[in-house]
Amino acid sequence: VGVRINHILKKQVEEKTIELQEANEDLKKLVITTRNSNELRNCVIENSPSAIIVFDQQFKITLFNPSAFELAEGKKLESGRNILEYELFREILESKKEMLFQSQKGYQNQEFSRQTGAGEYLYYRYNLYLLFHPDQKVRGAILVIDDVTAENRLKEQTIERQKEEALTRM
């Protein structure tokens, strides 16, 4: 009887060992997939020409890329700081900050311009996306900003050139 019980227990241990090895292999695959996904996400964010800033409901910065650092205008951009401390970001969010997290919607392809101290205008296009918890409660937002000053100047030059051509033809 003791030999029989020992044999049965040994067989159960072998079965559980095989199950654990399979689970361990699945876990290793999941870790590799997650790591690759995180590396891809970080690569996309880090190398994006657009400024990307992620912040929570208290407007505390949780993630940003080098392009966002350039738009911080000399102020050190850090995780944990309030995004509204930075002039450009504050100007963009000023009219939206009260209702941003209650509205359940973002803002796409919005235009924004501001005048520098030298009287020159800078133009930006931005998108503001909300981030949600799995239970669909808002947890923060992503602000994506593109400096479109050169693009707008080129459009203005093209329009001026077309006006001059039309006047010349007349």
Side-chain angles (χ1 to χ4, degrees):
V1 171
V3 172
R4 179 81 176 134
I5 292 174
N6 191 18
H7 180 68
I8 292 171
L9 289 175
K10 194 174 187 181
K11 189 173 184 179
Q12 287 179 345
V13 166
E14 287 174 359
E15 289 173 0
K16 293 296 179 184
T17 302
I18 290 171
E19 286 177 23
L20 283 173
Q21 287 173 342
E22 289 172 355
N24 194 26
E25 286 299 316
D26 290 343
L27 187 59
K28 283 180 183 178
K29 289 176 184 175
L30 184 60
V31 166
I32 289 171
T33 302
T34 303
R35 185 180 305 133
N36 289 342
S37 174
N38 286 339
E39 287 175 4
L40 176 62
R41 180 196 65 161
N42 289 339
C43 185
V44 168
I45 289 172
E46 290 296 316
N47 295 307
S48 174
S50 300
I52 301 172
I53 306 115
V54 180
F55 56 95
D56 63 17
Q57 285 189 324
Q58 288 74 43
F59 294 93
K60 301 289 183 203
I61 297 170
T62 57
L63 179 72
F64 61 91
N65 67 352
S67 297
F69 187 78
E70 292 174 18
L71 291 181
E73 300 169 333
K75 233 180 161 181
K76 188 173 183 186
L77 193 60
E78 296 175 330
S79 291
R81 287 186 74 173
N82 192 310
I83 192 170
L84 301 174
E85 292 178 25
Y86 302 92
E87 187 177 346
L88 174 63
F89 309 143
R90 181 180 60 250
E91 290 176 11
I92 290 173
L93 295 170
E94 190 67 39
S95 64
K96 296 159 191 60
K97 70 181 181 182
E98 297 300 323
M99 296 300 294
L100 176 63
F101 298 116
Q102 284 85 31
S103 69
Q104 299 285 322
K105 69 176 187 100
Y107 300 88
Q108 280 76 41
N109 292 317
Q110 301 291 306
E111 298 280 333
F112 176 77
S113 65
R114 63 193 296 235
Q115 193 172 12
T116 65
E120 185 177 17
Y121 278 93
L122 300 175
Y123 299 93
Y124 302 95
R125 184 175 302 124
Y126 66 92
N127 294 293
L128 189 57
Y129 306 100
L130 295 178
L131 294 173
F132 296 92
H133 286 290
D135 61 2
Q136 296 304 313
K137 291 184 181 175
V138 177
R139 68 177 189 160
I142 301 173
L143 178 61
V144 180
I145 306 170
D146 290 303
D147 185 343
V148 292
T149 303
E151 181 182 319
N152 279 10
R153 288 190 182 136
L154 185 60
K155 284 180 186 177
E156 289 171 4
Q157 289 173 354
T158 303
I159 290 170
E160 285 300 316
R161 196 173 319 119
Q162 288 173 347
K163 285 180 185 177
E164 289 173 7
E165 288 174 3
L167 285 173
T168 304
R169 275 186 255 141
M170 285 175 64

